[in-house]
Amino acid sequence: MNESTVADHSEKTGLDADGWNELFDVLVADCRRKAFLELADFGAPLSVDELAQRVFERRDWDANGGQTQGDESPTERIQRLRIELYHVHLPKLAAANLVTFDHETGRVSPGERTDIGVDFLDELL
């Protein structure tokens, strides 16, 4: 069996231990991870509204077979998710260069480390 090491991955990606820690810290949050994977799967820029809709559908489908929970309507949940993405999750993903987030246009694009992040998650999951 061929076991890969951090050194092997660091050589391929150019990330040092701090870079790997940053990826782990950013991608540990479920909502951030799902938003990142949704954007990576789509492979092209999305508006924050489009991303919120896609993450909502992915989260609810995974957890409840497409059903919503609680007293919030789907529209209210998507709006809350959009706000969380805009103010919390997308800035953290952008700081790690996993996405590019333009606050003025509200567009999110894959970042320079998107492929590294996807590979990292593939190894973990």
Side-chain angles (χ1 to χ4, degrees):
M1 176 160 70
N2 184 12
E3 292 185 27
S4 59
T5 66
V6 172
D8 294 335
H9 290 293
S10 294
E11 190 174 305
K12 286 187 233 177
T13 63
L15 292 178
D16 60 9
D18 289 337
W20 287 109
N21 286 336
E22 179 183 34
L23 281 181
F24 184 79
D25 288 344
V26 169
L27 294 172
V28 73
D30 183 59
C31 183
R32 249 189 317 277
R33 192 171 50 255
K34 287 184 177 168
F36 170 70
L37 288 173
E38 209 42 66
L39 184 65
D41 287 348
F42 191 72
L46 289 167
S47 70
V48 176
D49 290 338
E50 292 167 325
L51 185 58
Q53 179 69 42
R54 294 173 72 95
V55 171
F56 171 79
E57 290 168 1
R58 178 182 281 227
R59 288 177 86 179
D60 282 359
W61 183 261
D62 288 349
N64 311 315
Q67 303 301 312
T68 60
Q69 294 179 341
D71 294 337
E72 288 183 315
S73 71
T75 302
E76 291 168 328
R77 291 189 68 198
I78 293 168
Q79 179 62 16
R80 184 171 45 83
L81 180 57
R82 189 193 72 71
I83 291 167
E84 288 176 18
L85 286 170
Y86 187 90
H87 291 287
V88 178
H89 302 301
L90 293 175
K92 288 185 180 190
L93 288 165
N97 294 319
L98 292 167
V99 304
T100 302
F101 178 39
D102 185 336
H103 290 275
E104 290 182 26
T105 63
R107 303 288 292 171
V108 186
S109 307
E112 55 186 72
R113 287 187 179 170
T114 295
D115 291 340
I116 293 169
V118 169
D119 290 345
F120 177 72
L121 290 173
D122 284 346
E123 292 269 335
L124 290 177
L125 307 173

